[in-house]
Amino acid sequence: MTSAVASNAVLTELREKIANLEGAGLRQRSVLPFGVGEIDAQLPGGGLAYGALHEVAGGGNGAIDGAAAALFIGGIAARTTGKVVWCLTRFDLFFPALAQAGLHPDRVIFVEGDKEETVLASFEEALRYGGLGAVVAELVRLPMTASRRLQLAAEKSGTLGLVIRRWRRQTEASDFGMPTAAATRWRISMLPSEPLPVAGVGRARWLAELMRVKAGEGGEFIIGACDGQGRICLSSDAADRPDQASRSFALR
């Protein structure tokens, strides 16, 4: 009897040590759901994990898809609570568009660096600081070593880390296929807007590809662009499903 009790005590102590090594951020991590059942079901915990790094890039249509990726990120940041730090090297954001996606200018602190290394350093520092709604960085490359440091910084503070992959030339886009420590990886592409029963332009639509997710499965979704509160919706137009598949194949 005494031997059994001692064995249980040892096992309990070992479990506590393992839990401590995994870190408090992993034990208490919460998520930011999209509010779209089909998408949240693909994500562990039912949403984007706080205390983690998430990557987003535009599809194959250059600046147009890149703008959609930025708005997708802006909508995510808009649904967090607190200030948002946005690190970048090119101050070319059209902020009225981000405001329409729910990210009010009063919430954003811009950090402009002269080179990408400065952006990485600012991004990591802001992630370690804590107390922020989200931290965003615009990066061309995200090496595995740097992504691990950023992931650890996000885990320590519990902050949502969002990376927009931006390329100055098409040859740099191949770097997006390299492995990183990010919890999720997304690709956003423009689609024709929602059809209206009358002449006019309907709600913008995107093809959102969840290309990688830790402990989960990817997927492809046709979604309505972010509204004034940063929320997306699943498109109900089934007629676009064949186009979705063909476009996705073309972008790979």
Side-chain angles (χ1 to χ4, degrees), residues 24-95:
L26 292 176
R27 296 196 306 270
Q28 299 175 358
R29 180 177 298 170
S30 58
V31 300
L32 178 69
F34 282 98
V36 178
E38 291 84 348
I39 298 178
D40 290 336
Q42 300 296 108
L43 301 169
L48 292 178
Y50 281 98
L53 197 64
H54 304 276
E55 279 185 271
V56 181
N61 200 8
I64 297 176
D65 289 341
L71 290 174
F72 182 74
I73 286 280
I76 293 171
R79 292 184 290 107
T80 64
T81 301
K83 292 288 187 179
V84 174
V85 172
W86 197 300
C87 308
L88 70 175
T89 58
R90 292 178 288 172
F91 203 85
D92 56 357
L93 286 172
F94 185 61
F95 210 88

Side-chain angles (χ1 to χ4, degrees), residues 20 33 43 62 73 100 123 128 137 203 210 215 218 225 234 236-237:
N20 288 331
L43 301 169
I73 286 280
Q100 287 184 334
F123 188 33
R128 291 188 184 280
R203 183 175 182 174
L210 178 55
L234 201 66
S236 59
D237 189 357

Side-chain angles (χ1 to χ4, degrees), residues 115-133:
K115 53 186 178 180
E116 189 143 307
E117 291 78 6
T118 306
V119 171
L120 273 171
S122 301
F123 188 33
E124 182 177 350
E125 185 66 24
L127 284 174
R128 291 188 184 280
Y129 177 77
L132 299 168

Side-chain angles (χ1 to χ4, degrees), residues 184-235:
T184 65
R185 174 179 285 175
W186 301 79
R187 183 163 55 186
I188 309 297
S189 305
M190 292 291 295
L191 291 175
S193 61
E194 286 185 352
L196 296 176
V198 296
V201 179
R203 183 175 182 174
R205 289 189 300 177
W206 303 328
L207 171 61
E209 298 173 86
L210 178 55
M211 302 176 65
R212 178 179 179 274
V213 54
K214 288 184 178 179
E217 295 184 3
E220 299 179 0
F221 313 92
I222 295 178
I223 60 175
C226 299
D227 64 11
Q229 285 74 46
R231 298 171 301 194
I232 59 173
C233 66
L234 201 66
S235 175

